[in-house]
Amino acid sequence: MTRRKNYRPLLWITALLIVSSILYIRFWPSESVPSLGSDMPKNIAMEPVTPQNIESPAAEVLSERIAEYHINVRLDESAHLLQAAQTVTWLNPGKKTVNELYFHLYPNAFESPDTTFMRESGGRLREDAMPGDGYGGISLTALDTTDGLSLMNRIEYVQPDDGNAKDKTLIKIRLPQPVKSYERITLTMKFEVKLPKIFARMGYAEDFVMAGQWFPKVAAYEKVGVRGRSSEGWNLHQYHGNSEFYANYGIYSVKIEVPDTYTVAATGFPTKTPILANGRKTYQFYADDVHDFGWAASPNFIYVEEPFSAPNVPGVRIKLYLDPKHENLKERYLYAAKAALSKFSEWYGSYPYSTLSIVVPPKAANGAGGMEYPTLITAFGAEDDSPGYNLERTVVHEIGHQYFYGLLASNEFEEAWLDEGFTSYAEDKLMEHEFGVAPNLAVEGSYMTDPAPLKLAAWEYKDHRHYAENVYMRSKLVLLAIEKQVGEKTMHRIMRTYTQKYRFKHPTTADFQRVVEQVTKRKWTDFFNQYVYGNQMADFAVEGIDTRVLDNEGAPRYEATVHIVKKGADYPSVPIVFHFADGTSTRKVWNGDGERMQYRLNHTAPLDWVMIDPLYTIVVENKHINNYMKAHVEEPVRTRVNLSIVKLLEMISSAVGW
């Protein structure tokens, strides 16, 4: 009798092998799919850090990560020079084929008095001025493709905004081969930056270095639909006297070599302990889902670090790099940072990064102060041993930028109010909530002497004062005017919806208007046309008061006719108080329809005075001097009163000037 073979164990083994293979293919990390830029060449002067070197856990991808930078930079402290090599991989996010790349060379803004930045700024930013011997700039010394083809003869300086041939802050590189949709191109570069003396954001002061906007940076490329675009393309602008910056999100891996006595603060987090060799120290930093990389270095920093977490802040290392003059103020810096991170994350969405660095520069480097970079901010230069609330206000403001500049990345060239105005609004909210410091909105409103549309390109404002007046102050007042009409709770929903919906998406003014309309369920076209797209402010005035005595069977009554006129933009709720000689008052609210309104009042005592908006609830009113009128004033007294009010407002305005 023949024995039948038992195939059942073999079938089970075969099935297990098949299942194991499937699981291996599905879940085991594939080494055959490189990350963006992982195939970079390593034949440049200083070997770049590749993703395989990064000692960091896998993280959620929050943005498109269009560009990836691997940079090695060496500080020559004696020559005030940065010597660097970088490898840049750019992903074409659109559907069109791209035949050229554009790079910002921001340090060239400080190359000569003839650059666009210097012409427009007059060599000043805020209260800091360009030293006569303080010029600097950036020079590309090599530019190659991955197969070694030099592109140096394919570089062209372009000036799309003003045609200034002496401005070299933007270059076009004609590519030897086109980059098709969702293809990548990798270029290697070598460059040197002669650091200017600090007066505007970057440079050196004694042995302090602020490297902001210091490397060749790919210009922003926008797909259809981004910022309302109907056709995709580059967003190209030079470095202007008022403008700040705009870029796509990406990945940064940066090695920074400095003297071994220096401490470095930078965007992102260190991936390993600094390496010491031959009297030098090399730091290695990594950051993803950011659109810039800044760093500072000094041998004098007092370093303080504290972990912090809150309901919407899973865990952040707050790092202070203090000028010695402010060493004793570390608790104030830390408290302000914790309050800002906690509340802003509650109001505008969680802070997604693991670090936040605060650099306090020395007094001589004040020009680098009050600035924001992803995960890194600078306070104003350390001067006063016991500064007022300006210390907290600056920290709060710059951390606010981490949300509107960092996590939304609106276009600061073209719509600066979406960053500065929104951050100023958030700053005031937190300063009042946490420190009890409330703004004087009536004074701030009266300071609006030259209102302009908020959606102007930054360089279209007349000068820095005009830019600041509108982009910072007037923008904030416009947001508060919306809040006054809808209430704080609804405004909170508006801001939360906006910041969550457009996180990492480069929103526009139109996007914000749509959110306001969606949340409030009504149109805001007239308001935005007048206050945002237009240059109007509210201006309601008491034009005149007519009085007469009525005979009421021997008991006199007094009739007053009050003429109210609208001289500025619309506003839906205009409170008016009428005060009588017997001490009584009556209140009316005009809905603002039409150009003028007339009130007729009968009372047993004559009308004494009239005042529009006595509590200054119309925050976008800028001419309060005509809000008040007495019914009966002798002419000499009337003149003296009006002149006194004018002088008072002039003194107040001067006291809060930029």
Side-chain angles (χ1 to χ4, degrees):
M1 181 172 121
T2 305
R3 185 178 176 184
R4 190 171 65 177
K5 293 181 180 179
N6 185 0
Y7 288 98
R8 185 171 296 175
L10 184 59
L11 289 172
W12 276 108
I13 292 169
T14 303
L16 285 171
L17 288 172
I18 292 171
V19 171
S20 298
S21 298
I22 292 171
L23 289 173
Y24 180 90
I25 293 169
R26 172 64 180 84
F27 294 105
W28 197 259
S30 172
E31 296 180 359
S32 64
V33 183
S35 66
L36 178 61
S38 64
D39 57 345
M40 291 184 190
K42 300 182 180 180
N43 60 348
I44 55 177
M46 293 177 286
E47 182 180 326
V49 184
T50 60
Q52 290 85 351
N53 301 136
I54 301 301
E55 299 173 2
S56 61
E60 179 186 1
V61 176
L62 302 174
S63 68
E64 282 195 286
R65 299 185 178 180
I66 289 172
E68 180 169 349
Y69 298 83
H70 293 263
I71 310 175
N72 288 338
V73 57
R74 180 184 189 275
L75 169 65
D76 182 340
E77 69 282 6
S78 59
H80 309 297
L81 191 69
L82 302 181
Q83 299 166 313
Q86 75 174 19
T87 302
V88 184
T89 299
W90 181 77
L91 168 70
N92 180 355
K95 295 182 178 180
K96 291 183 178 180
T97 297
V98 169
N99 295 299
E100 60 270 321
L101 294 182
Y102 291 85
F103 281 79
H104 294 285
L105 301 182
Y106 288 118
N108 281 341
F110 312 109
E111 185 180 43
S112 79
D114 297 317
T115 69
T116 295
F117 181 95
M118 294 296 289
R119 286 181 179 179
E120 293 178 353
S121 68
R124 299 189 67 87
L125 186 66
R126 295 190 289 250
E127 302 303 318
D128 298 286
M130 174 76 165
D133 59 347
Y135 292 102
I138 183 172
S139 58
L140 279 175
T141 57
L143 173 61
D144 300 296
T145 63
T146 53
D147 55 8
L149 177 65
S150 175
L151 304 183
M152 290 295 288
N153 61 355
R154 292 172 173 265
I155 294 173
E156 177 186 354
Y157 292 101
V158 292
Q159 302 84 20
D161 299 323
D162 64 2
N164 176 12
K166 294 186 177 181
D167 187 83
K168 298 179 180 179
T169 58
L170 184 66
I171 60 170
K172 177 171 72 173
I173 302 171
R174 291 179 293 107
L175 299 174
Q177 291 183 337
V179 185
K180 296 179 182 179
S181 175
Y182 285 94
E183 286 186 348
R184 298 183 176 99
I185 183 173
T186 298
L187 301 178
T188 63
M189 300 176 172
K190 295 180 184 178
F191 62 95
E192 289 187 347
V193 179
K194 178 175 170 51
L195 292 167
K197 288 187 176 179
I198 292 178
F199 84 99
R201 303 188 181 97
M202 75 160 295
Y204 76 94
E206 299 168 351
D207 50 10
F208 172 88
V209 171
M210 184 71 231
Q213 306 298 336
W214 55 283
F215 58 95
K217 184 177 177 184
V218 183
Y221 192 89
E222 298 174 325
K223 300 186 298 184
V224 171
V226 173
R227 299 185 56 257
R229 288 192 74 131
S230 57
S231 62
E232 66 183 72
W234 296 98
N235 187 271
L236 302 173
H237 297 295
Q238 300 153 243
Y239 192 3
H240 290 272
N242 287 328
S243 73
E244 293 189 25
F245 314 103
Y246 173 53
N248 296 127
Y249 286 96
I251 295 172
Y252 290 81
S253 180
V254 183
K255 283 184 177 180
I256 304 169
E257 182 192 311
V258 294
D260 60 8
T261 57
Y262 276 58
T263 300
V264 172
T267 291
F269 58 88
T271 62
K272 57 179 64 176
T273 303
I275 298 171
L276 291 168
N278 302 317
R280 308 285 294 180
K281 187 190 300 183
T282 301
Y283 289 81
Q284 186 170 314
F285 291 92
Y286 175 82
D288 51 30
D289 300 312
V290 297
H291 50 75
D292 197 8
F293 187 97
W295 58 277
S298 171
N300 303 313
F301 282 143
I302 305 296
Y303 179 69
V304 179
E305 178 181 319
E306 277 196 17
F308 175 70
S309 62
N312 294 283
V313 186
V316 174
R317 289 185 178 275
I318 301 175
K319 302 178 179 182
L320 283 182
Y321 299 83
L322 292 160
D323 180 81
K325 193 173 184 66
H326 277 194
E327 180 178 7
N328 294 331
L329 300 174
K330 62 184 179 182
E331 295 302 331
R332 288 179 60 181
Y333 283 104
L334 287 169
Y335 186 91
K338 292 173 183 177
L341 280 173
S342 177
K343 281 300 172 186
F344 291 157
S345 292
E346 175 188 336
W347 296 342
Y348 311 126
S350 63
Y351 183 78
Y353 307 114
S354 62
T355 60
L356 175 68
S357 296
I358 303 169
V359 173
V360 182
K363 176 184 176 182
N366 186 63
M371 192 57 196
E372 70 280 356
Y373 304 91
T375 78
L376 183 148
I377 67 168
T378 61
F380 279 115
E383 179 179 3
D384 194 340
D385 290 328
S386 182
Y389 278 115
N390 192 44
L391 183 154
E392 285 81 4
R393 183 176 292 280
T394 302
V395 172
V396 165
H397 182 91
E398 303 309 330
I399 293 177
H401 278 302
Q402 296 298 311
Y403 297 82
F404 299 102
Y405 150 87
L407 298 182
L408 298 183
S410 49
N411 188 328
E412 292 185 288
F413 289 121
E414 298 176 8
E415 298 179 276
W417 86 285
L418 291 176
D419 177 38
E420 296 296 355
F422 281 60
T423 300
S424 297
Y425 169 89
E427 166 204 322
D428 274 4
K429 288 289 181 186
L430 193 131
M431 289 300 295
E432 185 168 8
H433 181 278
E434 195 66 35
F435 301 100
V437 179
N440 190 326
L441 298 176
V443 172
E444 291 180 5
S446 66
Y447 190 71
M448 298 298 102
T449 58
D450 192 5
L454 301 182
K455 199 179 175 301
L456 286 182
W459 56 94
E460 293 178 349
Y461 293 95
K462 296 176 183 177
D463 50 34
H464 186 69
R465 181 182 291 268
H466 192 224
Y467 171 82
E469 177 181 324
N470 286 279
V471 169
Y472 288 76
M473 189 79 75
R474 184 165 171 270
S475 299
K476 176 188 73 175
L477 295 175
V478 167
L479 293 174
L480 284 168
I482 296 174
E483 179 185 298
K484 292 289 185 182
Q485 295 176 59
V486 304
E488 286 192 33
K489 185 177 292 187
T490 300
M491 189 63 179
H492 175 77
R493 285 177 51 217
I494 288 171
M495 297 293 284
R496 177 79 178 186
T497 302
Y498 171 67
T499 51
Q500 290 295 87
K501 183 175 183 179
Y502 293 104
R503 199 172 171 94
F504 298 101
K505 293 181 180 176
H506 314 290
T508 64
T509 300
D511 292 326
F512 177 65
Q513 181 178 344
R514 276 190 289 271
V515 169
V516 174
E517 293 177 342
Q518 289 165 4
V519 172
T520 61
K521 296 180 171 56
R522 65 183 177 92
K523 287 292 184 182
W524 285 76
T525 304
D526 291 343
F527 181 91
F528 273 75
N529 284 344
Q530 292 178 84
Y531 291 102
V532 177
Y533 300 110
N535 66 343
Q536 292 184 264
M537 295 287 285
D539 182 15
F540 296 95
V542 183
E543 190 176 46
I545 301 173
D546 301 322
T547 59
R548 64 176 181 146
V549 180
L550 302 176
D551 186 7
N552 184 23
E553 298 178 354
R557 291 186 66 83
Y558 300 87
E559 181 183 85
T561 304
V562 180
H563 304 275
I564 307 295
V565 63
K566 178 172 62 181
K567 295 185 174 183
D570 295 335
Y571 200 82
S573 179
V574 185
I576 307 169
V577 172
F578 305 87
H579 187 79
F580 298 94
D582 61 1
T584 61
S585 297
T586 188
R587 301 171 187 273
K588 305 282 186 181
V589 177
W590 179 29
N591 63 11
D593 285 346
E595 296 303 315
R596 56 182 63 246
M597 184 65 179
Q598 180 176 294
Y599 291 94
R600 182 168 289 131
L601 302 101
N602 286 281
H603 196 66
T604 55
L607 183 67
D608 187 13
W609 52 262
V610 177
M611 188 169 185
I612 299 171
D613 192 25
L615 299 179
Y616 300 103
T617 58
I618 306 175
V619 294
V620 283
E621 168 108 38
N622 67 329
K623 296 180 180 177
H624 300 101
I625 195 168
N626 57 17
N627 285 20
Y628 174 85
M629 183 176 285
K630 284 187 69 68
H632 300 283
V633 180
E634 295 180 9
E635 188 56 36
V637 176
R638 183 196 302 268
T639 302
R640 286 198 301 274
V641 168
N642 286 343
L643 285 174
S644 297
I645 293 173
V646 170
K647 290 297 182 185
L648 176 61
L649 288 176
E650 285 178 351
M651 286 190 296
I652 294 172
S653 296
S654 298
V656 298
W658 289 90

